[in-house]
Amino acid sequence: MTTRTESEPGVEHLLDVFKALANPVRLQVLQWLREPERHFPVERAIADPVEVGVCVSHIQEKLGLAQSTVSAYMASLQRAGLVRATRVGKWTHYKRDEARIAEFVALLGHSL
């Protein structure tokens, strides 16, 4: 079995992304965030969901999971570079990081 080396740029990042996407709930949230105005209540948003992101409370409400679970899922997506977090008052809003997602896709294409 081959081990990873320093000469393999981006392998660690690829693994982080794969780990984040391996959970079907996190993958679903990332898909919803592609079109936030379609999947979340825009009329209840305190910030523009397209520009700023979707409030974690709206994500939690849609998933029907505990706040701590949703926060852990979003932190995993953020660590992988798939979403960005922005604070608006006491609320955290999440938005897809399209540039980082494009980098991941390109890196994946070069790595396989």
Side-chain angles (χ1 to χ4, degrees):
M1 180 173 206
T2 311
T3 58
R4 286 179 264 130
T5 65
E6 292 298 318
S7 63
E8 298 178 68
V11 170
E12 289 295 326
H13 180 247
L14 282 175
L15 292 175
D16 289 342
V17 172
F18 287 139
K19 287 175 191 173
L21 296 178
N23 178 294
V25 174
R26 290 190 296 252
L27 181 58
Q28 179 67 69
V29 170
L30 194 62
Q31 290 169 334
W32 287 337
L33 291 176
R34 178 180 283 178
E35 297 178 280
E37 66 283 354
R38 181 174 165 213
H39 296 284
F40 296 97
V42 177
E43 66 280 354
R44 292 181 29 224
I46 59 171
D48 184 339
V50 175
E51 292 297 317
V52 178
V54 175
C55 181
V56 69
S57 66
H58 293 158
I59 296 169
Q60 180 211 353
E61 183 179 305
K62 187 168 179 86
L63 288 172
L65 297 173
Q67 184 272 330
S68 59
T69 301
V70 174
S71 291
Y73 284 170
M74 298 312 296
S76 176
L77 290 170
Q78 186 177 8
R79 278 190 307 276
L82 299 169
V83 298
R84 286 180 287 153
T86 303
R87 295 285 292 185
V88 177
K90 65 179 183 170
W91 304 106
T92 302
H93 289 65
Y94 291 95
K95 176 183 169 131
R96 287 169 52 110
D97 189 333
E98 297 297 346
R100 294 285 304 272
I101 291 170
E103 288 174 14
F104 162 71
V105 170
L107 182 58
L108 181 60
H110 294 330
S111 298
L112 293 180

